[in-house]
Amino acid sequence: LASSDFPSRALYGRYLTWMFAELVRQAGPGIRVEHHRKEAVGLARGDGDSDGTGGSDDRKGRNGGQGTDGTGGSDGTGGTGGSVRRWRIALDDGSELLADDVVLAVGHVAATLTPEQEKLQDAAARYGLQYWPPAVPADVSWNRLPARKTVLIRGLGLNFFDAMIQLTEGRGGRFTRRTDGRLDYEASGREPRLVAASRRGVPYRAKASLDSYIPRSVTLRYCTPDRVLAFRRSGIQPGFDHDVWPLLHRDVLWAYYSTLCRTSPRALGVPRAAFLEELAAALATSGPEWEDAAGSAVGRSVPEDLRLDVEALAHPFAGRHFADGDEFTDAVLAYLDADAAGSAKGEDDPLKMAIGAMNAGRSVVKQAVADGGISDSSWNAELRGWFEPLVEGLASGPPPLRIAQLAALVRAGIVRFVGPNPGFGFDPDEELFRATSPWVQDESFSARYLVEAMMPANRVSTSLSPLMRNLLDRGTVRPKTHMSEDGVPVTSAGLDVTAPPYRAVDSSGRKQESLFVIGLQLASVQWGTAIAAEAGAPLDAGSRTLLDADAIAGEILARTVPA
């Protein structure tokens, strides 16, 4: 891999396998890592043996000191002398492990369906159709989808691209590069016909071709940790729209227009130095007046077709009606080609640099809003209500190659698009699934197959994980609940936990000293729990999960390892 390349899923998996093996190999004296290839299905308070060995009689399915998602003592016996083991972990083969400390790091797990999804699943069962619910792409048997049949796919995020490549190149198709740099697709004849849709009508934007995670030309001037965390240091709980977004919005605009000035200075109506000076003064204006000042500066100097409306990027075809599916497909194809060309420009594309600033600011926002950093109402209505879909669609997209491949598949007739704000349902007359868009006239798609190209909902209260259900039913853990502005209790997506290092809180409100939580189930106190660690970033910014892991490990070792 070169510095601007992206690893495939398979290569990344081999890297993680190697990293795990290296960690195990380099474990220090007195440390033993034991991997149980089983699913943990239950967790209960322990009633271990008084000698602290945990009853290591393998005939009883017990093992002293190790546990799935758990950590034992440094000598493998629990490390607490004659204490009783704190936890019993039930595995799916009927065996049991004993552990002093347990870390819940369960990641993505299956969840109950929404009422709409349940109706689609029921229709599939009654009429012999196939409904594929949300799932982790690596767990899906894509070979079960038949060749040459129409398959409806809901979702145009990263899961869609996993499905797309499995059902095309994964079935023997080949991509070849044209002289103009675009791709063509040579079909194998074993591909399904894919009909895809999402609310915005187009896929996530591709990442830029860069040799760094954050563009080197992007420096946050306003949405800095010092400025954003100043609210907390002053005892103020900010709102996202009122206090945080205006700072990041300034940085996004500066990244866009400064890049535009550098790459297309002749497009401006005034000398670029004069425009940048005026824009910088406008962005430095305090209070809400800054936005009008910046708009005036841009309006005087930048042609209308080159101006940036950040929030409009979430709806690229807003207000547009299309006469038929062919017209909409042509519009999407032009969108894909332009996006791939922008990614290829790297640091010289203004829009990609604006998105790069948003991505850089996302790490600062993640740090600022954690652990009560903004109000609950702002968290739900603002941060998660509109900003999260916007930034995910812009900054969490696939490598540029996937967009170029999708464009080739559209030209080859393998992929079609339904349109913005699609409706999925069951047509009782045809006894098939149907998808339509209110913005595309005279076009609808029907099929026997409907795939949800999305992860299961990350909401502990609807989890189908046997372990999570067991923990909730026993009252060992509970979802976090907060009061809305109108006094109605609202259940959050994640678990109720203490301040870092995150210990689970049980149904009676007591903290569990030796039961820790890390990762996706911290959605109650952290935003962006699925964002991976950023190379070279401070632990408290781009690598929050590593910081959490370090704190939990330190807490466990403090009780386990002799001073």
Side-chain angles (χ1 to χ4, degrees):
L1 292 175
S3 60
S4 60
D5 291 334
F6 295 85
S8 65
R9 296 280 195 196
L11 181 57
Y12 185 52
R14 290 197 290 274
Y15 163 73
L16 292 178
T17 300
W18 170 83
M19 176 61 75
F20 179 75
E22 283 295 290
L23 289 171
V24 172
R25 183 180 67 82
Q26 296 183 32
I31 296 176
R32 185 171 79 247
V33 179
E34 188 167 336
H35 182 196
H36 298 271
R37 293 182 178 272
K38 306 291 179 184
E39 181 180 3
V41 296
L43 182 67
R45 280 291 179 183
D47 55 357
D49 303 354
S50 60
D51 65 358
T53 62
S56 57
D57 186 346
D58 288 339
R59 292 171 299 175
K60 297 178 182 179
R62 296 177 180 269
N63 180 302
Q66 283 74 44
T68 302
D69 291 335
T71 304
S74 61
D75 61 354
T77 63
T80 54
S83 67
V84 175
R85 286 290 191 273
R86 297 186 182 96
W87 298 102
R88 291 182 291 115
I89 304 169
L91 304 184
D92 61 359
D93 64 352
S95 64
E96 191 175 81
L97 302 171
L98 299 178
D100 288 308
D101 299 276
V102 174
V103 181
L104 294 176
V106 298
H108 287 286
V109 292
T112 58
L113 302 179
T114 66
E116 183 214 7
Q117 292 170 337
E118 287 180 343
K119 289 180 181 178
L120 295 172
Q121 189 177 61
D122 289 344
R126 288 199 309 272
Y127 293 93
L129 310 180
Q130 286 193 25
Y131 174 75
W132 295 37
V136 177
D139 296 339
V140 176
S141 299
W142 298 107
N143 61 336
R144 290 174 45 224
L145 288 170
R148 301 188 180 90
K149 300 295 183 181
T150 299
V151 176
L152 303 180
I153 300 182
R154 176 155 55 180
L156 282 165
L158 297 183
N159 283 29
F160 166 77
F161 289 98
D162 283 309
M164 177 193 84
I165 210 68
Q166 288 281 352
L167 296 171
T168 56
E169 192 175 46
R171 293 194 173 188
R174 294 180 62 248
F175 292 98
T176 57
R177 191 167 295 279
R178 295 179 176 183
T179 55
D180 63 3
R182 295 192 298 179
L183 298 179
D184 283 326
Y185 181 71
E186 299 176 10
S188 68
R190 296 191 290 125
E191 301 89 348
R193 179 174 180 250
L194 306 181
V195 178
S198 68
R199 282 174 294 182
R200 70 186 71 195
V202 292
Y204 283 15
R205 285 189 177 272
K207 292 181 172 63
S209 297
L210 304 170
D211 63 358
S212 57
Y213 180 70
I214 299 298
R216 298 189 188 281
S217 62
V218 168
T219 300
L220 297 179
R221 298 178 167 201
Y222 303 96
C223 188
T224 63
D226 283 345
R227 295 187 70 167
V228 176
L229 295 176
F231 297 106
R232 180 174 296 190
R233 290 193 297 267
S234 301
I236 299 172
Q237 190 177 52
F240 181 78
D241 283 6
H242 184 270
D243 301 303
V244 180
W245 170 240
L247 298 175
L248 180 54
H249 193 182
R250 287 172 165 95
D251 281 316
V252 173
L253 293 177
W254 180 259
Y256 177 86
Y257 289 111
S258 61
T259 306
L260 180 67
C261 287
R262 176 170 56 82
T263 58
S264 305
R266 295 182 180 179
L268 303 179
V270 298
R272 63 180 179 180
F275 166 66
L276 289 177
E277 183 178 351
E278 184 181 7
L279 179 62
L283 296 178
T285 303
S286 60
E289 291 78 15
W290 78 269
E291 200 163 2
D292 287 339
S296 297
V298 170
R300 283 190 290 270
S301 303
V302 181
E304 188 171 354
D305 62 334
L306 293 178
R307 297 172 193 169
L308 177 64
D309 183 343
V310 180
E311 295 179 34
L313 295 174
H315 308 285
F317 297 131
R320 290 183 60 182
H321 289 266
F322 298 88
D324 52 36
D326 288 339
E327 183 180 343
F328 180 67
T329 296
D330 289 343
V332 175
L333 189 55
Y335 176 93
L336 295 175
D337 286 338
D339 190 47
S343 292
K345 293 179 182 177
E347 302 255 355
D348 291 335
D349 186 80
L351 180 56
K352 296 295 179 178
M353 292 306 95
I355 294 171
M358 191 175 294
N359 192 28
R362 179 166 59 170
S363 296
V364 180
V365 171
K366 181 177 178 179
Q367 179 185 3
V369 304
D371 306 316
I374 61 173
S375 66
D376 290 333
S377 59
S378 179
W379 178 288
N380 291 318
E382 299 166 0
L383 179 69
R384 300 205 63 192
W386 70 266
F387 179 71
E388 183 175 289
L390 171 68
V391 73
E392 284 187 353
L394 298 177
S396 296
L401 176 62
R402 292 290 184 244
I403 293 294
Q405 290 172 331
L406 176 57
L409 292 170
V410 174
R411 285 190 286 268
I414 302 295
V415 175
R416 294 276 289 189
F417 300 98
V418 176
N421 300 313
F424 285 81
F426 173 74
D427 187 329
D429 295 328
E430 289 193 52
E431 297 185 355
L432 295 172
F433 294 122
R434 180 170 293 280
T436 59
S437 167
W439 302 100
V440 182
Q441 299 176 15
D442 302 326
E443 184 76 283
S444 66
F445 300 90
S446 57
R448 298 180 57 83
Y449 308 90
L450 173 53
V451 176
E452 302 280 17
M454 60 190 73
M455 290 291 190
N458 178 34
R459 178 169 287 276
V460 295
S461 60
T462 62
S463 171
L464 292 177
S465 157
L467 175 63
M468 192 60 65
R469 298 311 319 165
N470 174 271
L471 290 168
L472 291 168
D473 291 345
R474 286 179 174 270
T476 308
V477 300
R478 69 180 184 185
K480 183 178 181 180
T481 301
H482 63 264
M483 302 300 290
S484 64
E485 289 184 334
D486 55 6
V488 177
V490 177
T491 301
S492 78
L495 291 173
D496 196 359
V497 293
T498 67
Y502 298 108
R503 292 176 169 86
V505 173
D506 69 13
S507 57
S508 64
R510 295 173 302 185
K511 71 176 180 180
Q512 305 274 24
E513 282 289 347
S514 53
L515 179 59
F516 299 88
V517 182
I518 192 171
L520 295 183
Q521 284 69 41
L522 292 176
S524 53
V525 293
Q526 288 189 19
W527 174 72
T529 52
I531 300 173
E534 173 192 335
L539 282 176
D540 55 359
S543 305
R544 179 56 192 260
T545 300
L546 297 183
L547 180 68
D548 294 340
D550 189 63
I552 290 172
E555 194 72 15
I556 292 171
L557 292 172
R559 293 200 307 271
T560 304
V561 180

